[in-house]
């Protein structure tokens, strides 16, 4: 049961980060920064497709680290919208 919950959270976090990077890239005017955001979005998309996140050892750090990354990306997104 715990494994399924961890897996579900990891998948959700990866998807959220992918979308946040995509939104940041869309709103970014600096071409270099836009490319960085696009690359990160693509990297997370590939991670989702690779299913590596399904491994318990891969899912644990994602669940531990991604909430802070999501918070940081949302703050950047808010600043870019302003």
């Amino acid at each position: 049961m715990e494994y399924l919950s961890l897996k579900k959270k990891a998948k959700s976090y990866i998807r959220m980060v992918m979308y946040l990077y995509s939104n940041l890239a869309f709103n970014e005017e600096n071409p270099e920064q836009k490319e960085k955001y696009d690359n990160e979005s693509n990297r997370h998309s590939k991670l989702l497709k690779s299913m590596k996140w399904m491994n318990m050892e891969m899912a644990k750090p994602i669940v531990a680290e991604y909430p802070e990354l999501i918070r940081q990306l949302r703050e950047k997104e808010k600043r870019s919208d302003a």
Side-chain angles (χ1 to χ4, degrees):
M1 184 67 162
E2 179 186 339
Y3 174 68
L4 292 177
S5 176
L6 189 67
K7 196 169 83 167
K8 188 175 179 179
K9 283 182 181 179
K11 183 178 182 180
S12 174
Y13 289 161
I14 294 168
R15 182 172 281 121
M16 177 60 70
V17 167
M18 179 185 70
Y19 288 130
L20 287 167
Y21 274 123
S22 180
N23 287 343
L24 286 168
F26 181 77
N27 293 320
E28 183 60 51
E29 294 179 12
N30 179 334
E32 291 174 3
Q33 192 64 41
K34 182 179 183 71
E35 183 178 358
K36 285 181 183 179
Y37 291 149
D38 278 333
N39 289 342
E40 282 298 315
S41 179
N42 291 336
R43 183 173 75 84
H44 284 85
S45 175
K46 288 176 186 173
L47 179 59
L48 266 181
K49 291 175 187 174
S50 75
M51 308 273 279
K52 287 182 182 176
W53 52 269
M54 288 183 70
N55 176 325
M56 185 74 140
E57 294 308 310
M58 184 73 167
K60 282 182 182 179
I62 289 170
V63 171
E65 298 168 12
Y66 273 49
E68 177 61 20
L69 176 59
I70 290 169
R71 186 191 63 74
Q72 291 171 2
L73 293 173
R74 284 184 173 151
E75 285 179 14
K76 282 184 182 183
E77 189 176 41
K78 285 179 186 176
R79 288 193 300 258
S80 71
D81 288 343

